[in-house]
């Protein structure tokens, strides 16, 4: 494996906090150590508390990530309460947070929810970059036709063709590589629509980092494409937040 592929610059899918159902150390310190062990330099990190329990207190907790090198804070909202979530997006933007993670399946929100569509509009209007979980075959709809910059964190190898046809008409659509472990999934997306439609994600510490990192490191991409996926796509979001 080439030396230059040892270090991944940015992981777009990182969580921290308490995981009651698992005996798992998901503290910021533990996640930082996990990244260091797998030679990942930075991560876009979101609080599990904000996703699953209380968005406001979780987002306040998330801001602690600013105090640590290697983490970029990502906000979250409760999509089930679009009015409160709308106000929370305003609060996040006022505090300088420019990345918003959505958890529709985890919050039992359907893809055709009016509240979800509204919150996507509000976030896009503020120039935020969105990260979302959910099956691409359903959850592409709320983001299409809005000029959204959105990273789909759960694109499976079986959905490569669906993602490519969407990305052809949606320049802001990006797929996380975490589930693109098919023999040519990453390569096919890069070849069809460009490596700028891909970003490395691991879902550390809930998922094993090794398979996704190894798959990216051995991907059949040229050096420019590899650097784009390993950090260039996410770095562009951070350099151009508006």
């Amino acid at each position: 494996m080439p030396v230059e592929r040892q270090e991944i610059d940015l992981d777009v899918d990182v969580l921290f906090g308490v995981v009651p159902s698992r005996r798992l150390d998901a503290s910021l310190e533990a996640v930082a150590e996990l990244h260091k062990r797998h030679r990942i330099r930075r991560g876009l990190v979101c609080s599990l508390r904000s996703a699953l329990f209380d968005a406001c207190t979780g987002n306040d907790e998330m801001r602690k990530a600013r105090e640590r090198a290697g983490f970029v804070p990502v906000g979250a909202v409760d999509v089930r309460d679009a009015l409160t979530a709308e106000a929370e997006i305003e609060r996040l933007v006022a505090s300088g947070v420019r990345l918003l993670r959505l958890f529709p399946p985890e919050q039992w929100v359907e893809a055709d929810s009016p509240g979800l569509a509204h919150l996507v509009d509000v976030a896009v209007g503020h120039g935020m970059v969105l990260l979302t979980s959910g099956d691409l075959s359903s959850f592409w709809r709320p983001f299409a036709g809005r000029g959204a910059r959105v990273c789909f964190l759960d694109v499976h190898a079986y959905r490569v063709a669906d993602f490519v046809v969407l990305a052809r008409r949606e320049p802001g659509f990006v797929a996380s590589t975490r589930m693109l472990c098919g023999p040519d999934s990453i390569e096919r997306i890069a070849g069809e629509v460009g490596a700028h439609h891909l970003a490395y994600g691991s879902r550390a510490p809930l998922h094993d980092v090794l398979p996704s990192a190894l798959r990216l490191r051995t991907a059949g991409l040229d050096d420019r494409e590899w650097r784009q996926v390993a950090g260039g796509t996410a770095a562009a979001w951070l350099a151009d937040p508006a």
Side-chain angles (χ1 to χ4, degrees), residues 190-229:
E192 291 284 349
V193 291
H196 60 289
H197 283 282
L198 289 162
Y200 173 71
S202 73
R203 195 153 302 175
L206 302 187
H207 287 202
D208 187 354
V209 174
L210 182 60
S212 60
L214 182 62
R215 177 67 186 91
L216 177 61
R217 287 181 170 123
T218 58
L221 304 174
D222 64 31
D223 290 345
R224 182 194 59 79
E225 291 172 327
W226 194 87
R227 289 192 298 272
Q228 181 72 39
V229 182

Short mmCIF file of all heavy atoms in Angstrom, two decimals, residues 190-229:
data_model
loop_
_atom_site.label_atom_id
_atom_site.label_comp_id
_atom_site.label_asym_id
_atom_site.label_seq_id
_atom_site.Cartn_x
_atom_site.Cartn_y
_atom_site.Cartn_z
N ALA A 190 -16.76 7.25 -8.59
CA ALA A 190 -15.73 8.22 -9.00
C ALA A 190 -15.65 8.30 -10.52
O ALA A 190 -15.51 9.39 -11.09
CB ALA A 190 -14.39 7.82 -8.42
N GLY A 191 -15.75 7.16 -11.19
CA GLY A 191 -15.65 7.15 -12.65
C GLY A 191 -16.86 7.75 -13.33
O GLY A 191 -16.75 8.40 -14.38
N GLU A 192 -18.03 7.57 -12.76
CA GLU A 192 -19.27 8.04 -13.40
C GLU A 192 -19.54 9.53 -13.15
O GLU A 192 -19.94 10.25 -14.07
CB GLU A 192 -20.46 7.23 -12.88
CG GLU A 192 -20.48 5.77 -13.32
CD GLU A 192 -20.91 5.60 -14.77
OE1 GLU A 192 -21.39 6.58 -15.38
OE2 GLU A 192 -20.75 4.49 -15.29
N VAL A 193 -19.36 9.98 -11.91
CA VAL A 193 -19.74 11.38 -11.59
C VAL A 193 -18.61 12.17 -10.92
O VAL A 193 -18.76 13.35 -10.66
CB VAL A 193 -21.01 11.42 -10.70
CG1 VAL A 193 -22.23 10.98 -11.49
CG2 VAL A 193 -20.84 10.57 -9.44
N GLY A 194 -17.50 11.52 -10.61
CA GLY A 194 -16.36 12.25 -10.03
C GLY A 194 -16.16 11.96 -8.56
O GLY A 194 -17.13 11.74 -7.81
N ALA A 195 -14.91 12.00 -8.14
CA ALA A 195 -14.57 11.70 -6.75
C ALA A 195 -15.09 12.75 -5.78
O ALA A 195 -15.17 12.50 -4.58
CB ALA A 195 -13.05 11.57 -6.61
N HIS A 196 -15.45 13.94 -6.28
CA HIS A 196 -16.00 14.97 -5.40
C HIS A 196 -17.41 14.60 -4.92
O HIS A 196 -17.95 15.31 -4.07
CB HIS A 196 -16.01 16.33 -6.10
CG HIS A 196 -16.82 16.36 -7.35
ND1 HIS A 196 -16.43 15.72 -8.51
CD2 HIS A 196 -18.02 16.96 -7.62
CE1 HIS A 196 -17.35 15.92 -9.46
NE2 HIS A 196 -18.32 16.65 -8.93
N HIS A 197 -17.98 13.54 -5.43
CA HIS A 197 -19.26 13.04 -4.93
C HIS A 197 -19.06 11.96 -3.86
O HIS A 197 -20.02 11.27 -3.49
CB HIS A 197 -20.11 12.48 -6.07
CG HIS A 197 -20.76 13.54 -6.92
ND1 HIS A 197 -21.89 14.22 -6.51
CD2 HIS A 197 -20.42 14.06 -8.12
CE1 HIS A 197 -22.24 15.10 -7.45
NE2 HIS A 197 -21.36 15.02 -8.43
N LEU A 198 -17.84 11.82 -3.35
CA LEU A 198 -17.54 10.80 -2.34
C LEU A 198 -16.78 11.44 -1.18
O LEU A 198 -15.98 12.36 -1.38
CB LEU A 198 -16.66 9.70 -2.94
CG LEU A 198 -17.33 8.76 -3.95
CD1 LEU A 198 -16.26 8.04 -4.78
CD2 LEU A 198 -18.22 7.74 -3.25
N ALA A 199 -17.02 10.91 0.03
CA ALA A 199 -16.28 11.36 1.22
C ALA A 199 -16.13 10.16 2.16
O ALA A 199 -17.08 9.38 2.33
CB ALA A 199 -17.00 12.50 1.92
N TYR A 200 -14.97 10.05 2.77
CA TYR A 200 -14.75 8.94 3.68
C TYR A 200 -15.55 9.11 4.97
O TYR A 200 -15.54 10.19 5.58
CB TYR A 200 -13.27 8.79 4.05
CG TYR A 200 -13.07 7.75 5.12
CD1 TYR A 200 -13.24 6.40 4.84
CD2 TYR A 200 -12.79 8.12 6.44
CE1 TYR A 200 -13.12 5.44 5.82
CE2 TYR A 200 -12.65 7.16 7.44
CZ TYR A 200 -12.82 5.82 7.12
OH TYR A 200 -12.72 4.86 8.10
N GLY A 201 -16.23 8.04 5.40
CA GLY A 201 -16.94 8.03 6.68
C GLY A 201 -16.80 6.67 7.34
O GLY A 201 -16.79 5.64 6.67
N SER A 202 -16.71 6.66 8.68
CA SER A 202 -16.50 5.39 9.38
C SER A 202 -17.62 5.03 10.36
O SER A 202 -17.80 3.88 10.70
CB SER A 202 -15.18 5.45 10.16
OG SER A 202 -15.30 6.29 11.30
N ARG A 203 -18.34 6.03 10.86
CA ARG A 203 -19.27 5.91 11.99
C ARG A 203 -18.57 5.43 13.25
O ARG A 203 -19.09 4.63 14.03
CB ARG A 203 -20.48 5.06 11.66
CG ARG A 203 -21.61 5.24 12.70
CD ARG A 203 -22.97 4.97 12.11
NE ARG A 203 -23.24 5.84 10.97
CZ ARG A 203 -24.31 5.77 10.20
NH1 ARG A 203 -25.22 4.84 10.44
NH2 ARG A 203 -24.49 6.60 9.19
N ALA A 204 -17.37 5.92 13.44
CA ALA A 204 -16.67 5.64 14.70
C ALA A 204 -17.40 6.35 15.83
O ALA A 204 -17.94 7.43 15.63
CB ALA A 204 -15.23 6.18 14.60
N PRO A 205 -17.47 5.77 17.02
CA PRO A 205 -16.93 4.48 17.42
C PRO A 205 -17.96 3.35 17.39
O PRO A 205 -17.68 2.26 17.88
CB PRO A 205 -16.51 4.76 18.86
CG PRO A 205 -17.60 5.66 19.37
CD PRO A 205 -17.98 6.52 18.20
N LEU A 206 -19.14 3.59 16.80
CA LEU A 206 -20.20 2.58 16.81
C LEU A 206 -19.88 1.43 15.86
O LEU A 206 -20.34 0.30 16.06
CB LEU A 206 -21.55 3.20 16.44
CG LEU A 206 -22.04 4.34 17.33
CD1 LEU A 206 -23.47 4.73 16.92
CD2 LEU A 206 -22.01 3.95 18.80
N HIS A 207 -19.13 1.72 14.78
CA HIS A 207 -18.77 0.68 13.83
C HIS A 207 -17.25 0.48 13.84
O HIS A 207 -16.49 1.40 14.18
CB HIS A 207 -19.22 1.06 12.41
CG HIS A 207 -20.70 0.97 12.21
ND1 HIS A 207 -21.28 0.84 10.98
CD2 HIS A 207 -21.73 0.97 13.09
CE1 HIS A 207 -22.60 0.77 11.10
NE2 HIS A 207 -22.90 0.86 12.38
N ASP A 208 -16.83 -0.67 13.40
CA ASP A 208 -15.41 -0.97 13.28
C ASP A 208 -14.82 -0.08 12.17
O ASP A 208 -15.32 -0.09 11.04
CB ASP A 208 -15.25 -2.45 12.93
CG ASP A 208 -13.80 -2.89 12.94
OD1 ASP A 208 -12.91 -2.03 13.10
OD2 ASP A 208 -13.56 -4.10 12.78
N VAL A 209 -13.78 0.65 12.49
CA VAL A 209 -13.18 1.58 11.52
C VAL A 209 -12.36 0.84 10.46
O VAL A 209 -12.29 1.27 9.30
CB VAL A 209 -12.30 2.60 12.26
CG1 VAL A 209 -11.54 3.49 11.28
CG2 VAL A 209 -13.15 3.45 13.21
N LEU A 210 -11.77 -0.27 10.82
CA LEU A 210 -10.81 -0.94 9.94
C LEU A 210 -11.35 -1.27 8.55
O LEU A 210 -10.69 -0.97 7.54
CB LEU A 210 -10.27 -2.21 10.61
CG LEU A 210 -9.21 -2.98 9.80
CD1 LEU A 210 -8.00 -2.09 9.54
CD2 LEU A 210 -8.81 -4.25 10.54
N PRO A 211 -12.55 -1.88 8.40
CA PRO A 211 -13.00 -2.25 7.05
C PRO A 211 -13.16 -1.05 6.12
O PRO A 211 -12.72 -1.10 4.96
CB PRO A 211 -14.35 -2.94 7.31
CG PRO A 211 -14.28 -3.41 8.71
CD PRO A 211 -13.47 -2.39 9.45
N SER A 212 -13.77 0.03 6.61
CA SER A 212 -13.97 1.18 5.73
C SER A 212 -12.65 1.86 5.40
O SER A 212 -12.43 2.31 4.26
CB SER A 212 -14.94 2.19 6.37
OG SER A 212 -14.44 2.66 7.62
N ALA A 213 -11.74 1.93 6.38
CA ALA A 213 -10.45 2.57 6.12
C ALA A 213 -9.62 1.74 5.14
O ALA A 213 -8.99 2.28 4.22
CB ALA A 213 -9.69 2.77 7.43
N LEU A 214 -9.63 0.42 5.34
CA LEU A 214 -8.85 -0.45 4.44
C LEU A 214 -9.41 -0.42 3.02
O LEU A 214 -8.65 -0.37 2.04
CB LEU A 214 -8.87 -1.88 4.98
CG LEU A 214 -8.07 -2.91 4.18
CD1 LEU A 214 -6.59 -2.53 4.17
CD2 LEU A 214 -8.26 -4.31 4.78
N ARG A 215 -10.73 -0.41 2.91
CA ARG A 215 -11.34 -0.37 1.57
C ARG A 215 -10.95 0.90 0.83
O ARG A 215 -10.65 0.87 -0.37
CB ARG A 215 -12.87 -0.44 1.72
CG ARG A 215 -13.62 -0.33 0.39
CD ARG A 215 -13.37 -1.53 -0.52
NE ARG A 215 -13.98 -1.36 -1.85
CZ ARG A 215 -13.38 -0.82 -2.89
NH1 ARG A 215 -12.13 -0.42 -2.80
NH2 ARG A 215 -14.01 -0.71 -4.04
N LEU A 216 -10.95 2.03 1.55
CA LEU A 216 -10.55 3.27 0.89
C LEU A 216 -9.06 3.24 0.52
O LEU A 216 -8.68 3.64 -0.57
CB LEU A 216 -10.84 4.47 1.79
CG LEU A 216 -10.38 5.82 1.21
CD1 LEU A 216 -11.08 6.12 -0.12
CD2 LEU A 216 -10.62 6.95 2.20
N ARG A 217 -8.25 2.75 1.43
CA ARG A 217 -6.79 2.75 1.17
C ARG A 217 -6.41 1.88 -0.01
O ARG A 217 -5.40 2.12 -0.66
CB ARG A 217 -6.05 2.30 2.44
CG ARG A 217 -6.07 3.38 3.53
CD ARG A 217 -5.33 2.96 4.79
NE ARG A 217 -5.19 4.09 5.69
CZ ARG A 217 -5.63 4.13 6.95
NH1 ARG A 217 -6.24 3.09 7.46
NH2 ARG A 217 -5.46 5.20 7.68
N THR A 218 -7.22 0.86 -0.29
CA THR A 218 -6.91 -0.05 -1.40
C THR A 218 -7.77 0.23 -2.64
O THR A 218 -7.73 -0.55 -3.59
CB THR A 218 -7.11 -1.51 -0.97
OG1 THR A 218 -8.47 -1.69 -0.54
CG2 THR A 218 -6.16 -1.88 0.16
N ALA A 219 -8.54 1.31 -2.61
CA ALA A 219 -9.43 1.62 -3.74
C ALA A 219 -8.61 1.89 -5.00
O ALA A 219 -7.53 2.47 -4.96
CB ALA A 219 -10.30 2.83 -3.40
N GLY A 220 -9.18 1.52 -6.13
CA GLY A 220 -8.52 1.74 -7.42
C GLY A 220 -8.76 3.14 -7.94
O GLY A 220 -9.37 3.34 -9.00
N LEU A 221 -8.29 4.12 -7.21
CA LEU A 221 -8.41 5.53 -7.59
C LEU A 221 -7.02 6.07 -7.89
O LEU A 221 -6.02 5.60 -7.32
CB LEU A 221 -9.03 6.35 -6.45
CG LEU A 221 -10.39 5.90 -5.91
CD1 LEU A 221 -10.77 6.74 -4.69
CD2 LEU A 221 -11.47 6.00 -6.99
N ASP A 222 -6.94 7.09 -8.75
CA ASP A 222 -5.63 7.73 -8.91
C ASP A 222 -5.37 8.62 -7.69
O ASP A 222 -6.25 8.80 -6.83
CB ASP A 222 -5.53 8.49 -10.24
CG ASP A 222 -6.50 9.67 -10.34
OD1 ASP A 222 -6.82 10.28 -9.30
OD2 ASP A 222 -6.93 9.99 -11.47
N ASP A 223 -4.18 9.17 -7.61
CA ASP A 223 -3.80 9.89 -6.39
C ASP A 223 -4.69 11.11 -6.13
O ASP A 223 -5.07 11.39 -4.99
CB ASP A 223 -2.33 10.34 -6.49
CG ASP A 223 -1.38 9.16 -6.40
OD1 ASP A 223 -1.83 8.08 -5.98
OD2 ASP A 223 -0.21 9.31 -6.77
N ARG A 224 -5.04 11.81 -7.19
CA ARG A 224 -5.90 12.99 -7.01
C ARG A 224 -7.28 12.58 -6.50
O ARG A 224 -7.82 13.19 -5.58
CB ARG A 224 -6.03 13.73 -8.36
CG ARG A 224 -6.88 15.00 -8.27
CD ARG A 224 -7.25 15.49 -9.65
NE ARG A 224 -8.00 14.51 -10.42
CZ ARG A 224 -9.29 14.28 -10.26
NH1 ARG A 224 -9.99 14.96 -9.34
NH2 ARG A 224 -9.91 13.37 -10.98
N GLU A 225 -7.84 11.54 -7.10
CA GLU A 225 -9.16 11.07 -6.66
C GLU A 225 -9.10 10.59 -5.22
O GLU A 225 -10.01 10.85 -4.42
CB GLU A 225 -9.62 9.92 -7.57
CG GLU A 225 -9.96 10.35 -8.99
CD GLU A 225 -10.23 9.16 -9.89
OE1 GLU A 225 -9.60 8.09 -9.68
OE2 GLU A 225 -11.05 9.28 -10.81
N TRP A 226 -8.01 9.89 -4.86
CA TRP A 226 -7.92 9.36 -3.50
C TRP A 226 -7.88 10.49 -2.46
O TRP A 226 -8.56 10.44 -1.45
CB TRP A 226 -6.67 8.47 -3.37
CG TRP A 226 -6.73 7.65 -2.12
CD1 TRP A 226 -7.33 6.43 -1.96
CD2 TRP A 226 -6.23 8.03 -0.83
NE1 TRP A 226 -7.22 6.03 -0.66
CE2 TRP A 226 -6.56 6.98 0.06
CE3 TRP A 226 -5.56 9.14 -0.35
CZ2 TRP A 226 -6.22 7.00 1.40
CZ3 TRP A 226 -5.22 9.18 1.00
CH2 TRP A 226 -5.54 8.12 1.86
N ARG A 227 -7.09 11.50 -2.73
CA ARG A 227 -7.02 12.64 -1.80
C ARG A 227 -8.37 13.34 -1.68
O ARG A 227 -8.74 13.83 -0.62
CB ARG A 227 -5.93 13.61 -2.24
CG ARG A 227 -4.52 13.09 -2.04
CD ARG A 227 -3.51 14.22 -2.22
NE ARG A 227 -3.55 14.80 -3.55
CZ ARG A 227 -2.84 14.34 -4.57
NH1 ARG A 227 -2.03 13.31 -4.42
NH2 ARG A 227 -2.92 14.92 -5.76
N GLN A 228 -9.09 13.40 -2.79
CA GLN A 228 -10.42 14.03 -2.78
C GLN A 228 -11.35 13.29 -1.81
O GLN A 228 -12.03 13.90 -0.98
CB GLN A 228 -11.00 14.01 -4.19
CG GLN A 228 -12.38 14.65 -4.32
CD GLN A 228 -12.35 16.16 -4.22
OE1 GLN A 228 -11.43 16.79 -4.74
NE2 GLN A 228 -13.34 16.74 -3.56
N VAL A 229 -11.39 11.97 -1.91
CA VAL A 229 -12.30 11.17 -1.07
C VAL A 229 -11.82 11.15 0.37
O VAL A 229 -12.61 11.21 1.32
CB VAL A 229 -12.41 9.74 -1.63
CG1 VAL A 229 -13.39 8.92 -0.78
CG2 VAL A 229 -12.87 9.76 -3.09
#
